[in-house]
Amino acid sequence: MRMRTRGHLNERLERCGGLFIDPDSEPLPDRLQIEIGCGKGDFITETARRNPGVNYIAIERVSNVIVLAMEKAARAELTNLRFILGDFADVAEHFPDGCVERIYLNFSDPWPKNGNAKRRLTHGRFLELYKRILADGGEIFFKTDNRELFEFSLATFTENGFQLDNVTFDLHADGLEGNIMTEYEKRFTQMGVPICRLEARKSGLIS
Ligand SMILES: C[S@@+](CC[C@H](N)C(=O)[O-])C[C@H]1O[C@@H](n2cnc3c(N)ncnc32)[C@H](O)[C@@H]1O
């Protein structure tokens, strides 16, 4: 399905221009947390609002969608959240080794066909990129409604030496203090779909 172009997209992106970070020309903070695929930004704007002492970068490859996230951040006058428009695979090289303390992957596209497995954000190809940019002890918080993607991810994190914690196949039944719902999470939860969640830590032993 083609996404409808949102009205006056370029003007709206320009108005939020100060929130962009261009990793080609601007050094990234050396301690930060990132969300890959922030969508319309409910999760990352609320997370940044609750944690003013943490630097956040949200990465999203669709301009129609990132503009909504950026407008939310502008309205909330957040000074600790910036945005990168692009595919993480293309911008990862700009992140210095070990600069990221936490990566959020929320409802990442499942790419259900085996032929597209390499595009999943929890494929080993991406886990290699995360290992490089994560600090020792750095962590990945992953939520999804998609049981198959979750089981695939449990295997790839384990194969790549991550330590798994707080694994649940039903986040809302088990409870998580301070959980911040994403747009997709609200939608699937209303439909009665259980949400899977895990935390994957890079131990000092991972190379
Ligand atoms: C299913 S949506 C989920 C959006 C949001 N995280 C949520 O939970 O409501 C996945 C989002 O990730 C973005 N995305 C997928 N792969 C990406 C990549 N490699 N780099 C940046 N964004 C990506 C998509 O454009 C889409 O907006």
Side-chain angles (χ1 to χ4, degrees), residues 75-143:
R75 276 197 298 275
E77 299 183 356
L78 297 172
T79 55
N80 60 331
L81 171 59
R82 308 273 306 273
F83 293 83
I84 294 176
L85 174 59
D87 194 301
F88 178 72
D90 299 329
V91 300
E93 64 182 300
H94 296 290
F95 285 80
D97 291 1
C99 71
V100 175
E101 291 168 336
R102 184 179 297 163
I103 299 173
Y104 291 104
L105 300 175
N106 290 318
F107 299 83
S108 308
D109 296 325
W111 295 106
K113 290 187 184 157
N114 282 340
N116 285 325
K118 279 191 166 172
R119 297 177 184 223
R120 297 173 192 153
L121 286 176
T122 53
H123 187 277
R125 177 172 84 98
F126 281 100
L127 301 194
E128 285 300 323
L129 300 177
Y130 305 153
K131 275 191 231 175
R132 185 186 66 73
I133 67 172
L134 276 173
D136 286 345
E139 53 201 5
I140 300 170
F141 287 3
F142 175 52
K143 291 197 270 193

Side-chain angles (χ1 to χ4, degrees), residues 3-14:
M3 189 171 297
R4 192 169 58 87
T5 303
R6 294 186 193 279
H8 308 293
L9 178 62
N10 287 340
E11 289 156 44
R12 292 169 63 192
L13 284 169
E14 266 169 38

